[in-house]
Amino acid sequence: MTLVALAAAIERGDLSPREAVEDALDRIERRDAAYNSFITVRAEEALAEADALPAKTGPLHGVPIGVKDVIDVAGTLTTAASKVLADNVATADATVVMRLRRAGAVIVGKLNTHEFAWGASTTSEAFGPARNPWDTERICGGSSGGSGAAVAAGLVPGALGTDTAGSVRIPAALCGVTGIRPTTGRVPNRGVIPVSWTYDTVGPLARTAEDCALLLDVIAGPDPTDPSTTPSMAEPCLDGIERGVDGLRVGVVSHLLDDVPLDPRVGTAVEEAIGELASLGATVERVDARFLRRAEVVQQLVMLPEAAEAHLPWLRTRLADYGADVRARLLAGLLLPSSAPVTGQRARRALAHEARPLFERYDVLAAPEMPIVAPRIGEDPVEVGGERIAYRLSLIPFNSPWSCLGVPTVSVPCGLVGGLPVGLALTGRRLGEATVLRVAHAFQQATDWHERRPPDAV
Amino acid sequence: MEPESSLVPSLDELRALARAQGVEPTDADLEGVLGFLRTVLPSLRELEEATQRDVPPAGMYLPDPEAT
């Protein structure tokens, strides 16, 4: 059942919040040993909170939700899947959790993540890998891999992840669910462990674009206590999601289909999905945007020093407790020249200026979300269109441009290759979440890829 | 363009820089950093040369609110 359908069923009285939460906890208990998607399950707390809900709260009344384990839930561990924070109990709710609760949601647990949300495989040395429900020998992507797995397996109808360089979109694609990275600054980050202050954003993952729209409407908006939020008011996402794509202009980012390593079967699935948008009434054109490849290095120059700064107290005292990959990136950020983040931010502004005509001409840009389907756990390098490439490097061209520009991107399931999901990335203007979700919804109304389920999903 | 070797610091220089910030990486850690720097420093230098220095860096939280 989708999140929207579950919320409607609870509203009709078909089941109570307690029953909805009990169902989710039962699914987690029976199935999650296979996926390792949860780090902490809040069984007793969630049931008590469901029982304590007033008769009417908000649009998520009684809906069980999981949140990535870098997002604080008061009284619950926030481990970031790291030895460094293995005993860290949050003292207050993150703003997004407060907003979920105000809307009636019940937080059933904390979801597995790549250590400190910095990596794309969710294979924490301390907490073990999250496993892809489509094939448990494969990764879920990351860093919000537990969020992707839990939604794909049907353990929860919706989850929150975070996205710095693709961490919502990548697991959405590899797990066959829908996930949106919102505009940087649209969703408050207070109470969320940072990777990179100027790139981080919280984003929802769920079965459908409609589900994500509902979740995003709940968690988005300025927070006067959080200077990372933009004061700009954006259009709500759920209202108007049915308006279709007729008359919209879709630019196909051609270099991401033609000029970078890509599994041709993934490319074919994405091309067919774009063809579907054309058949629904969108005007589709290929666009040369190779200048966006500069984002790949620009993001590294900014993100690495920002992360090193955020981690500096722990680097001084807990260096050996980090996993090898995250430790290496943090040290690289620490030891980059001081000119790196300034040059990076300057180049980032220039890139945004250069991208402006793209977003004036097109309502949405379309591209593959990932160049490959989910690799096996531990498989690195990976084979991409006949080349052997480091997994992390293979995905950067598809994700860094949109992170660097701070614009919204949704990944929607658009095919299966060898029985594994493929994601279509739809990117919009700054604060244009309503439009990208509207296009994603139109696609999902016309196709059934989002309804395909992993073999043992519940 | 300067040769790559003149851009990349030595292991000892990196160790001293880390220690100055209160961090004690292992030699293996620093070898990894060196590998990364060999890749990224030439790109950084290219960007420095390609970017107009009178352009202010992007804002703290948004790349450029008016640009996209």
Side-chain angles (χ1 to χ4, degrees), chain A residues 184 198 301 304 316 327 331-332 334 339 343 345-346 349 352 356 404-405 430, chain B residues 21-22 29 48 51-53 55-60 62-63 65-68:
Chain A
T184 311
T198 65
L301 295 177
L304 270 67
R316 287 174 175 149
R327 185 170 70 237
L331 289 170
L334 186 76
S339 64
T343 299
Q345 285 290 63
R346 183 177 281 133
R349 178 181 288 269
R356 189 172 186 164
C404 207
L405 297 172
R430 203 175 81 81
Chain B
Q21 299 179 80
D29 288 333
E48 285 170 352
T51 309
Q52 292 179 349
R53 299 191 65 78
V55 174
M60 184 61 198
L62 296 171
E66 301 308 315
T68 54

PDB file of all heavy atoms in Angstrom, chain A residues 184 198 301 304 316 327 331-332 334 339 343 345-346 349 352 356 404-405 430, chain B residues 21-22 29 48 51-53 55-60 62-63 65-68:
ATOM      1  N   THR A 184      18.370  22.836  -2.236  1.00  0.00           N
ATOM      2  CA  THR A 184      19.162  23.071  -1.036  1.00  0.00           C
ATOM      3  C   THR A 184      18.563  24.254  -0.274  1.00  0.00           C
ATOM      4  O   THR A 184      18.360  25.316  -0.857  1.00  0.00           O
ATOM      5  CB  THR A 184      20.615  23.389  -1.412  1.00  0.00           C
ATOM      6  OG1 THR A 184      21.066  22.410  -2.346  1.00  0.00           O
ATOM      7  CG2 THR A 184      21.516  23.373  -0.192  1.00  0.00           C
ATOM      8  N   THR A 198      26.914  23.355   2.621  1.00  0.00           N
ATOM      9  CA  THR A 198      26.320  24.034   1.469  1.00  0.00           C
ATOM     10  C   THR A 198      25.714  23.052   0.464  1.00  0.00           C
ATOM     11  O   THR A 198      25.206  23.493  -0.572  1.00  0.00           O
ATOM     12  CB  THR A 198      27.351  24.927   0.751  1.00  0.00           C
ATOM     13  OG1 THR A 198      28.383  24.110   0.191  1.00  0.00           O
ATOM     14  CG2 THR A 198      27.958  25.932   1.710  1.00  0.00           C
ATOM     15  N   LEU A 301      35.917  19.927  -4.229  1.00  0.00           N
ATOM     16  CA  LEU A 301      36.716  21.005  -3.632  1.00  0.00           C
ATOM     17  C   LEU A 301      35.988  21.671  -2.469  1.00  0.00           C
ATOM     18  O   LEU A 301      36.617  22.184  -1.540  1.00  0.00           O
ATOM     19  CB  LEU A 301      37.050  22.061  -4.695  1.00  0.00           C
ATOM     20  CG  LEU A 301      37.953  21.597  -5.833  1.00  0.00           C
ATOM     21  CD1 LEU A 301      38.139  22.710  -6.853  1.00  0.00           C
ATOM     22  CD2 LEU A 301      39.307  21.139  -5.291  1.00  0.00           C
ATOM     23  N   LEU A 304      34.632  18.336   0.521  1.00  0.00           N
ATOM     24  CA  LEU A 304      35.630  17.688   1.377  1.00  0.00           C
ATOM     25  C   LEU A 304      36.094  18.585   2.528  1.00  0.00           C
ATOM     26  O   LEU A 304      36.090  18.147   3.689  1.00  0.00           O
ATOM     27  CB  LEU A 304      36.825  17.203   0.548  1.00  0.00           C
ATOM     28  CG  LEU A 304      36.702  15.771   0.013  1.00  0.00           C
ATOM     29  CD1 LEU A 304      35.612  15.626  -1.016  1.00  0.00           C
ATOM     30  CD2 LEU A 304      38.024  15.275  -0.541  1.00  0.00           C
ATOM     31  N   ARG A 316      40.335  14.599  15.656  1.00  0.00           N
ATOM     32  CA  ARG A 316      41.417  14.760  16.629  1.00  0.00           C
ATOM     33  C   ARG A 316      41.422  13.647  17.660  1.00  0.00           C
ATOM     34  O   ARG A 316      42.479  13.278  18.185  1.00  0.00           O
ATOM     35  CB  ARG A 316      41.274  16.116  17.343  1.00  0.00           C
ATOM     36  CG  ARG A 316      41.643  17.286  16.451  1.00  0.00           C
ATOM     37  CD  ARG A 316      41.356  18.617  17.122  1.00  0.00           C
ATOM     38  NE  ARG A 316      41.838  19.716  16.283  1.00  0.00           N
ATOM     39  CZ  ARG A 316      41.273  20.915  16.239  1.00  0.00           C
ATOM     40  NH1 ARG A 316      40.212  21.187  16.979  1.00  0.00           N
ATOM     41  NH2 ARG A 316      41.767  21.843  15.458  1.00  0.00           N
ATOM     42  N   ARG A 327      37.344   7.904   6.504  1.00  0.00           N
ATOM     43  CA  ARG A 327      38.544   8.515   7.085  1.00  0.00           C
ATOM     44  C   ARG A 327      39.422   9.116   5.987  1.00  0.00           C
ATOM     45  O   ARG A 327      39.924  10.240   6.113  1.00  0.00           O
ATOM     46  CB  ARG A 327      39.328   7.466   7.884  1.00  0.00           C
ATOM     47  CG  ARG A 327      40.528   8.041   8.620  1.00  0.00           C
ATOM     48  CD  ARG A 327      41.133   7.032   9.573  1.00  0.00           C
ATOM     49  NE  ARG A 327      41.792   5.952   8.880  1.00  0.00           N
ATOM     50  CZ  ARG A 327      41.501   4.655   9.027  1.00  0.00           C
ATOM     51  NH1 ARG A 327      40.566   4.289   9.873  1.00  0.00           N
ATOM     52  NH2 ARG A 327      42.154   3.738   8.356  1.00  0.00           N
ATOM     53  N   LEU A 331      40.349  13.086   5.711  1.00  0.00           N
ATOM     54  CA  LEU A 331      41.738  13.560   5.745  1.00  0.00           C
ATOM     55  C   LEU A 331      42.080  14.323   4.467  1.00  0.00           C
ATOM     56  O   LEU A 331      42.810  15.326   4.515  1.00  0.00           O
ATOM     57  CB  LEU A 331      42.691  12.392   5.955  1.00  0.00           C
ATOM     58  CG  LEU A 331      42.644  11.783   7.361  1.00  0.00           C
ATOM     59  CD1 LEU A 331      43.434  10.483   7.419  1.00  0.00           C
ATOM     60  CD2 LEU A 331      43.164  12.777   8.404  1.00  0.00           C
ATOM     61  N   ALA A 332      41.542  13.883   3.352  1.00  0.00           N
ATOM     62  CA  ALA A 332      41.777  14.626   2.107  1.00  0.00           C
ATOM     63  C   ALA A 332      41.208  16.039   2.227  1.00  0.00           C
ATOM     64  O   ALA A 332      41.842  17.018   1.814  1.00  0.00           O
ATOM     65  CB  ALA A 332      41.137  13.890   0.930  1.00  0.00           C
ATOM     66  N   LEU A 334      40.790  17.688   4.983  1.00  0.00           N
ATOM     67  CA  LEU A 334      41.593  18.420   5.965  1.00  0.00           C
ATOM     68  C   LEU A 334      42.857  18.990   5.337  1.00  0.00           C
ATOM     69  O   LEU A 334      43.341  20.049   5.737  1.00  0.00           O
ATOM     70  CB  LEU A 334      41.959  17.470   7.108  1.00  0.00           C
ATOM     71  CG  LEU A 334      42.684  18.075   8.306  1.00  0.00           C
ATOM     72  CD1 LEU A 334      41.695  18.863   9.163  1.00  0.00           C
ATOM     73  CD2 LEU A 334      43.340  16.979   9.144  1.00  0.00           C
ATOM     74  N   SER A 339      42.832  27.329  -0.522  1.00  0.00           N
ATOM     75  CA  SER A 339      42.159  27.974  -1.653  1.00  0.00           C
ATOM     76  C   SER A 339      41.058  27.101  -2.241  1.00  0.00           C
ATOM     77  O   SER A 339      40.199  27.592  -2.975  1.00  0.00           O
ATOM     78  CB  SER A 339      43.174  28.289  -2.755  1.00  0.00           C
ATOM     79  OG  SER A 339      43.727  27.084  -3.276  1.00  0.00           O
ATOM     80  N   THR A 343      37.867  28.636  -4.229  1.00  0.00           N
ATOM     81  CA  THR A 343      37.848  28.444  -5.687  1.00  0.00           C
ATOM     82  C   THR A 343      36.632  27.612  -6.095  1.00  0.00           C
ATOM     83  O   THR A 343      35.968  27.901  -7.097  1.00  0.00           O
ATOM     84  CB  THR A 343      39.142  27.743  -6.146  1.00  0.00           C
ATOM     85  OG1 THR A 343      40.248  28.572  -5.813  1.00  0.00           O
ATOM     86  CG2 THR A 343      39.134  27.491  -7.646  1.00  0.00           C
ATOM     87  N   GLN A 345      33.718  27.353  -4.551  1.00  0.00           N
ATOM     88  CA  GLN A 345      32.473  28.138  -4.450  1.00  0.00           C
ATOM     89  C   GLN A 345      32.411  29.196  -5.554  1.00  0.00           C
ATOM     90  O   GLN A 345      31.325  29.517  -6.043  1.00  0.00           O
ATOM     91  CB  GLN A 345      32.373  28.800  -3.074  1.00  0.00           C
ATOM     92  CG  GLN A 345      32.008  27.856  -1.950  1.00  0.00           C
ATOM     93  CD  GLN A 345      30.569  27.347  -2.020  1.00  0.00           C
ATOM     94  OE1 GLN A 345      30.188  26.660  -2.959  1.00  0.00           O
ATOM     95  NE2 GLN A 345      29.760  27.692  -1.027  1.00  0.00           N
ATOM     96  N   ARG A 346      33.551  29.729  -5.933  1.00  0.00           N
ATOM     97  CA  ARG A 346      33.563  30.705  -7.034  1.00  0.00           C
ATOM     98  C   ARG A 346      33.177  30.004  -8.349  1.00  0.00           C
ATOM     99  O   ARG A 346      32.347  30.505  -9.111  1.00  0.00           O
ATOM    100  CB  ARG A 346      34.948  31.336  -7.139  1.00  0.00           C
ATOM    101  CG  ARG A 346      35.054  32.407  -8.189  1.00  0.00           C
ATOM    102  CD  ARG A 346      36.430  33.033  -8.168  1.00  0.00           C
ATOM    103  NE  ARG A 346      36.578  33.996  -7.085  1.00  0.00           N
ATOM    104  CZ  ARG A 346      37.614  34.055  -6.248  1.00  0.00           C
ATOM    105  NH1 ARG A 346      38.607  33.195  -6.362  1.00  0.00           N
ATOM    106  NH2 ARG A 346      37.672  34.982  -5.319  1.00  0.00           N
ATOM    107  N   ARG A 349      29.446  29.259  -8.449  1.00  0.00           N
ATOM    108  CA  ARG A 349      28.612  30.390  -8.863  1.00  0.00           C
ATOM    109  C   ARG A 349      28.649  30.551 -10.388  1.00  0.00           C
ATOM    110  O   ARG A 349      27.619  30.767 -11.030  1.00  0.00           O
ATOM    111  CB  ARG A 349      29.075  31.681  -8.193  1.00  0.00           C
ATOM    112  CG  ARG A 349      28.258  32.900  -8.624  1.00  0.00           C
ATOM    113  CD  ARG A 349      28.758  34.164  -7.948  1.00  0.00           C
ATOM    114  NE  ARG A 349      28.440  34.219  -6.536  1.00  0.00           N
ATOM    115  CZ  ARG A 349      27.330  34.765  -6.032  1.00  0.00           C
ATOM    116  NH1 ARG A 349      26.439  35.284  -6.830  1.00  0.00           N
ATOM    117  NH2 ARG A 349      27.123  34.796  -4.733  1.00  0.00           N
ATOM    118  N   ALA A 352      26.505  27.921 -11.949  1.00  0.00           N
ATOM    119  CA  ALA A 352      25.078  28.232 -11.817  1.00  0.00           C
ATOM    120  C   ALA A 352      24.670  29.294 -12.841  1.00  0.00           C
ATOM    121  O   ALA A 352      23.590  29.220 -13.435  1.00  0.00           O
ATOM    122  CB  ALA A 352      24.778  28.705 -10.396  1.00  0.00           C
ATOM    123  N   ARG A 356      21.935  28.810 -16.137  1.00  0.00           N
ATOM    124  CA  ARG A 356      20.673  29.553 -16.087  1.00  0.00           C
ATOM    125  C   ARG A 356      19.834  29.417 -17.360  1.00  0.00           C
ATOM    126  O   ARG A 356      18.618  29.167 -17.277  1.00  0.00           O
ATOM    127  CB  ARG A 356      20.977  31.019 -15.782  1.00  0.00           C
ATOM    128  CG  ARG A 356      19.753  31.838 -15.500  1.00  0.00           C
ATOM    129  CD  ARG A 356      20.141  33.221 -15.018  1.00  0.00           C
ATOM    130  NE  ARG A 356      18.978  33.967 -14.617  1.00  0.00           N
ATOM    131  CZ  ARG A 356      19.022  35.062 -13.879  1.00  0.00           C
ATOM    132  NH1 ARG A 356      20.187  35.506 -13.449  1.00  0.00           N
ATOM    133  NH2 ARG A 356      17.931  35.699 -13.566  1.00  0.00           N
ATOM    134  N   CYS A 404      25.492  20.442  -7.014  1.00  0.00           N
ATOM    135  CA  CYS A 404      26.290  21.662  -7.102  1.00  0.00           C
ATOM    136  C   CYS A 404      25.391  22.879  -7.353  1.00  0.00           C
ATOM    137  O   CYS A 404      25.609  23.948  -6.787  1.00  0.00           O
ATOM    138  CB  CYS A 404      27.281  21.483  -8.249  1.00  0.00           C
ATOM    139  SG  CYS A 404      28.760  22.419  -8.076  1.00  0.00           S
ATOM    140  N   LEU A 405      24.377  22.696  -8.192  1.00  0.00           N
ATOM    141  CA  LEU A 405      23.467  23.794  -8.498  1.00  0.00           C
ATOM    142  C   LEU A 405      22.415  23.971  -7.409  1.00  0.00           C
ATOM    143  O   LEU A 405      21.716  24.987  -7.381  1.00  0.00           O
ATOM    144  CB  LEU A 405      22.783  23.540  -9.848  1.00  0.00           C
ATOM    145  CG  LEU A 405      23.723  23.499 -11.059  1.00  0.00           C
ATOM    146  CD1 LEU A 405      22.967  23.053 -12.309  1.00  0.00           C
ATOM    147  CD2 LEU A 405      24.371  24.849 -11.286  1.00  0.00           C
ATOM    148  N   ARG A 430      15.353  25.787  -9.310  1.00  0.00           N
ATOM    149  CA  ARG A 430      15.402  25.988  -7.858  1.00  0.00           C
ATOM    150  C   ARG A 430      13.983  26.206  -7.338  1.00  0.00           C
ATOM    151  O   ARG A 430      13.207  26.973  -7.922  1.00  0.00           O
ATOM    152  CB  ARG A 430      16.275  27.199  -7.537  1.00  0.00           C
ATOM    153  CG  ARG A 430      16.851  27.185  -6.141  1.00  0.00           C
ATOM    154  CD  ARG A 430      17.793  28.351  -5.955  1.00  0.00           C
ATOM    155  NE  ARG A 430      17.067  29.561  -5.655  1.00  0.00           N
ATOM    156  CZ  ARG A 430      16.607  29.885  -4.459  1.00  0.00           C
ATOM    157  NH1 ARG A 430      16.830  29.074  -3.437  1.00  0.00           N
ATOM    158  NH2 ARG A 430      15.963  31.002  -4.258  1.00  0.00           N
TER     159      ARG A 430
ATOM    160  N   GLN B  21      46.945  20.694  12.990  1.00  0.00           N
ATOM    161  CA  GLN B  21      45.506  20.788  13.245  1.00  0.00           C
ATOM    162  C   GLN B  21      45.048  19.793  14.306  1.00  0.00           C
ATOM    163  O   GLN B  21      43.857  19.597  14.514  1.00  0.00           O
ATOM    164  CB  GLN B  21      44.735  20.567  11.937  1.00  0.00           C
ATOM    165  CG  GLN B  21      45.067  21.622  10.883  1.00  0.00           C
ATOM    166  CD  GLN B  21      44.324  21.389   9.581  1.00  0.00           C
ATOM    167  OE1 GLN B  21      43.157  21.733   9.478  1.00  0.00           O
ATOM    168  NE2 GLN B  21      44.994  20.795   8.611  1.00  0.00           N
ATOM    169  N   GLY B  22      46.029  19.142  14.937  1.00  0.00           N
ATOM    170  CA  GLY B  22      45.705  18.244  16.044  1.00  0.00           C
ATOM    171  C   GLY B  22      45.291  16.854  15.616  1.00  0.00           C
ATOM    172  O   GLY B  22      44.675  16.123  16.383  1.00  0.00           O
ATOM    173  N   ASP B  29      47.242   6.303   5.845  1.00  0.00           N
ATOM    174  CA  ASP B  29      46.256   7.366   5.621  1.00  0.00           C
ATOM    175  C   ASP B  29      46.827   8.429   4.689  1.00  0.00           C
ATOM    176  O   ASP B  29      46.168   8.888   3.747  1.00  0.00           O
ATOM    177  CB  ASP B  29      45.888   8.045   6.948  1.00  0.00           C
ATOM    178  CG  ASP B  29      45.027   7.185   7.861  1.00  0.00           C
ATOM    179  OD1 ASP B  29      44.290   6.320   7.342  1.00  0.00           O
ATOM    180  OD2 ASP B  29      45.094   7.385   9.092  1.00  0.00           O
ATOM    181  N   GLU B  48      41.412  27.441 -10.840  1.00  0.00           N
ATOM    182  CA  GLU B  48      41.904  28.742 -10.368  1.00  0.00           C
ATOM    183  C   GLU B  48      42.205  29.648 -11.556  1.00  0.00           C
ATOM    184  O   GLU B  48      41.894  30.843 -11.542  1.00  0.00           O
ATOM    185  CB  GLU B  48      43.147  28.564  -9.509  1.00  0.00           C
ATOM    186  CG  GLU B  48      42.861  28.017  -8.114  1.00  0.00           C
ATOM    187  CD  GLU B  48      44.139  27.627  -7.367  1.00  0.00           C
ATOM    188  OE1 GLU B  48      45.231  27.629  -7.973  1.00  0.00           O
ATOM    189  OE2 GLU B  48      44.025  27.307  -6.191  1.00  0.00           O
ATOM    190  N   THR B  51      38.824  30.648 -13.557  1.00  0.00           N
ATOM    191  CA  THR B  51      37.753  31.373 -12.882  1.00  0.00           C
ATOM    192  C   THR B  51      38.179  32.811 -12.631  1.00  0.00           C
ATOM    193  O   THR B  51      39.277  33.065 -12.145  1.00  0.00           O
ATOM    194  CB  THR B  51      37.438  30.696 -11.530  1.00  0.00           C
ATOM    195  OG1 THR B  51      37.230  29.312 -11.768  1.00  0.00           O
ATOM    196  CG2 THR B  51      36.189  31.279 -10.901  1.00  0.00           C
ATOM    197  N   GLN B  52      37.304  33.741 -12.968  1.00  0.00           N
ATOM    198  CA  GLN B  52      37.615  35.153 -12.737  1.00  0.00           C
ATOM    199  C   GLN B  52      37.706  35.406 -11.236  1.00  0.00           C
ATOM    200  O   GLN B  52      36.777  35.124 -10.484  1.00  0.00           O
ATOM    201  CB  GLN B  52      36.522  36.033 -13.340  1.00  0.00           C
ATOM    202  CG  GLN B  52      36.486  35.980 -14.853  1.00  0.00           C
ATOM    203  CD  GLN B  52      35.368  36.843 -15.402  1.00  0.00           C
ATOM    204  OE1 GLN B  52      34.515  37.316 -14.678  1.00  0.00           O
ATOM    205  NE2 GLN B  52      35.391  37.052 -16.702  1.00  0.00           N
ATOM    206  N   ARG B  53      38.812  35.990 -10.827  1.00  0.00           N
ATOM    207  CA  ARG B  53      39.050  36.121  -9.392  1.00  0.00           C
ATOM    208  C   ARG B  53      38.234  37.242  -8.760  1.00  0.00           C
ATOM    209  O   ARG B  53      38.135  37.330  -7.538  1.00  0.00           O
ATOM    210  CB  ARG B  53      40.550  36.322  -9.126  1.00  0.00           C
ATOM    211  CG  ARG B  53      41.374  35.127  -9.624  1.00  0.00           C
ATOM    212  CD  ARG B  53      42.794  35.186  -9.151  1.00  0.00           C
ATOM    213  NE  ARG B  53      42.905  35.067  -7.709  1.00  0.00           N
ATOM    214  CZ  ARG B  53      42.810  33.918  -7.045  1.00  0.00           C
ATOM    215  NH1 ARG B  53      42.591  32.799  -7.688  1.00  0.00           N
ATOM    216  NH2 ARG B  53      42.953  33.892  -5.749  1.00  0.00           N
ATOM    217  N   VAL B  55      35.061  37.417  -9.225  1.00  0.00           N
ATOM    218  CA  VAL B  55      33.718  36.867  -8.989  1.00  0.00           C
ATOM    219  C   VAL B  55      33.640  36.389  -7.543  1.00  0.00           C
ATOM    220  O   VAL B  55      34.479  35.590  -7.112  1.00  0.00           O
ATOM    221  CB  VAL B  55      33.445  35.671  -9.939  1.00  0.00           C
ATOM    222  CG1 VAL B  55      32.115  35.004  -9.593  1.00  0.00           C
ATOM    223  CG2 VAL B  55      33.459  36.142 -11.381  1.00  0.00           C
ATOM    224  N   PRO B  56      32.672  36.877  -6.786  1.00  0.00           N
ATOM    225  CA  PRO B  56      32.580  36.400  -5.397  1.00  0.00           C
ATOM    226  C   PRO B  56      32.164  34.930  -5.356  1.00  0.00           C
ATOM    227  O   PRO B  56      31.445  34.468  -6.238  1.00  0.00           O
ATOM    228  CB  PRO B  56      31.495  37.287  -4.779  1.00  0.00           C
ATOM    229  CG  PRO B  56      30.707  37.790  -5.934  1.00  0.00           C
ATOM    230  CD  PRO B  56      31.622  37.837  -7.104  1.00  0.00           C
ATOM    231  N   PRO B  57      32.642  34.197  -4.360  1.00  0.00           N
ATOM    232  CA  PRO B  57      32.204  32.804  -4.232  1.00  0.00           C
ATOM    233  C   PRO B  57      30.698  32.725  -4.019  1.00  0.00           C
ATOM    234  O   PRO B  57      30.080  33.715  -3.599  1.00  0.00           O
ATOM    235  CB  PRO B  57      32.950  32.302  -2.995  1.00  0.00           C
ATOM    236  CG  PRO B  57      34.045  33.272  -2.770  1.00  0.00           C
ATOM    237  CD  PRO B  57      33.573  34.579  -3.296  1.00  0.00           C
ATOM    238  N   ALA B  58      30.131  31.564  -4.320  1.00  0.00           N
ATOM    239  CA  ALA B  58      28.708  31.366  -4.084  1.00  0.00           C
ATOM    240  C   ALA B  58      28.398  31.581  -2.614  1.00  0.00           C
ATOM    241  O   ALA B  58      29.265  31.489  -1.755  1.00  0.00           O
ATOM    242  CB  ALA B  58      28.308  29.955  -4.512  1.00  0.00           C
ATOM    243  N   GLY B  59      27.120  31.842  -2.334  1.00  0.00           N
ATOM    244  CA  GLY B  59      26.700  32.087  -0.967  1.00  0.00           C
ATOM    245  C   GLY B  59      26.898  30.868  -0.097  1.00  0.00           C
ATOM    246  O   GLY B  59      27.175  29.768  -0.576  1.00  0.00           O
ATOM    247  N   MET B  60      26.739  31.063   1.176  1.00  0.00           N
ATOM    248  CA  MET B  60      27.024  30.002   2.132  1.00  0.00           C
ATOM    249  C   MET B  60      26.112  28.801   1.928  1.00  0.00           C
ATOM    250  O   MET B  60      26.551  27.668   1.982  1.00  0.00           O
ATOM    251  CB  MET B  60      26.865  30.555   3.548  1.00  0.00           C
ATOM    252  CG  MET B  60      27.220  29.587   4.636  1.00  0.00           C
ATOM    253  SD  MET B  60      28.938  29.067   4.542  1.00  0.00           S
ATOM    254  CE  MET B  60      28.911  27.597   5.548  1.00  0.00           C
ATOM    255  N   LEU B  62      23.407  28.569  -0.619  1.00  0.00           N
ATOM    256  CA  LEU B  62      22.837  28.344  -1.934  1.00  0.00           C
ATOM    257  C   LEU B  62      23.859  28.732  -2.976  1.00  0.00           C
ATOM    258  O   LEU B  62      24.585  29.699  -2.803  1.00  0.00           O
ATOM    259  CB  LEU B  62      21.562  29.181  -2.115  1.00  0.00           C
ATOM    260  CG  LEU B  62      20.421  28.815  -1.166  1.00  0.00           C
ATOM    261  CD1 LEU B  62      19.312  29.830  -1.271  1.00  0.00           C
ATOM    262  CD2 LEU B  62      19.895  27.438  -1.480  1.00  0.00           C
ATOM    263  N   PRO B  63      23.922  27.993  -4.089  1.00  0.00           N
ATOM    264  CA  PRO B  63      24.930  28.314  -5.103  1.00  0.00           C
ATOM    265  C   PRO B  63      24.739  29.709  -5.667  1.00  0.00           C
ATOM    266  O   PRO B  63      25.696  30.416  -5.876  1.00  0.00           O
ATOM    267  CB  PRO B  63      24.715  27.241  -6.161  1.00  0.00           C
ATOM    268  CG  PRO B  63      23.398  26.634  -5.878  1.00  0.00           C
ATOM    269  CD  PRO B  63      23.138  26.814  -4.431  1.00  0.00           C
ATOM    270  N   PRO B  65      21.073  32.190  -5.585  1.00  0.00           N
ATOM    271  CA  PRO B  65      19.611  32.187  -5.556  1.00  0.00           C
ATOM    272  C   PRO B  65      18.971  32.693  -6.853  1.00  0.00           C
ATOM    273  O   PRO B  65      17.877  32.300  -7.194  1.00  0.00           O
ATOM    274  CB  PRO B  65      19.275  33.109  -4.387  1.00  0.00           C
ATOM    275  CG  PRO B  65      20.472  33.083  -3.525  1.00  0.00           C
ATOM    276  CD  PRO B  65      21.641  32.903  -4.452  1.00  0.00           C
ATOM    277  N   GLU B  66      19.663  33.560  -7.573  1.00  0.00           N
ATOM    278  CA  GLU B  66      19.048  34.132  -8.771  1.00  0.00           C
ATOM    279  C   GLU B  66      19.364  33.323 -10.023  1.00  0.00           C
ATOM    280  O   GLU B  66      18.760  33.545 -11.068  1.00  0.00           O
ATOM    281  CB  GLU B  66      19.554  35.565  -8.967  1.00  0.00           C
ATOM    282  CG  GLU B  66      19.239  36.477  -7.790  1.00  0.00           C
ATOM    283  CD  GLU B  66      17.773  36.437  -7.431  1.00  0.00           C
ATOM    284  OE1 GLU B  66      16.936  36.506  -8.349  1.00  0.00           O
ATOM    285  OE2 GLU B  66      17.452  36.313  -6.233  1.00  0.00           O
ATOM    286  N   ALA B  67      20.321  32.419  -9.926  1.00  0.00           N
ATOM    287  CA  ALA B  67      20.839  31.825 -11.160  1.00  0.00           C
ATOM    288  C   ALA B  67      19.986  30.709 -11.720  1.00  0.00           C
ATOM    289  O   ALA B  67      19.964  30.494 -12.914  1.00  0.00           O
ATOM    290  CB  ALA B  67      22.258  31.316 -10.937  1.00  0.00           C
ATOM    291  N   THR B  68      19.322  29.973 -10.876  1.00  0.00           N
ATOM    292  CA  THR B  68      18.584  28.816 -11.388  1.00  0.00           C
ATOM    293  C   THR B  68      17.139  28.882 -10.982  1.00  0.00           C
ATOM    294  O   THR B  68      16.429  27.956 -11.106  1.00  0.00           O
ATOM    295  CB  THR B  68      19.202  27.503 -10.875  1.00  0.00           C
ATOM    296  OG1 THR B  68      19.289  27.557  -9.456  1.00  0.00           O
ATOM    297  CG2 THR B  68      20.567  27.280 -11.454  1.00  0.00           C
TER     298      THR B  68
END
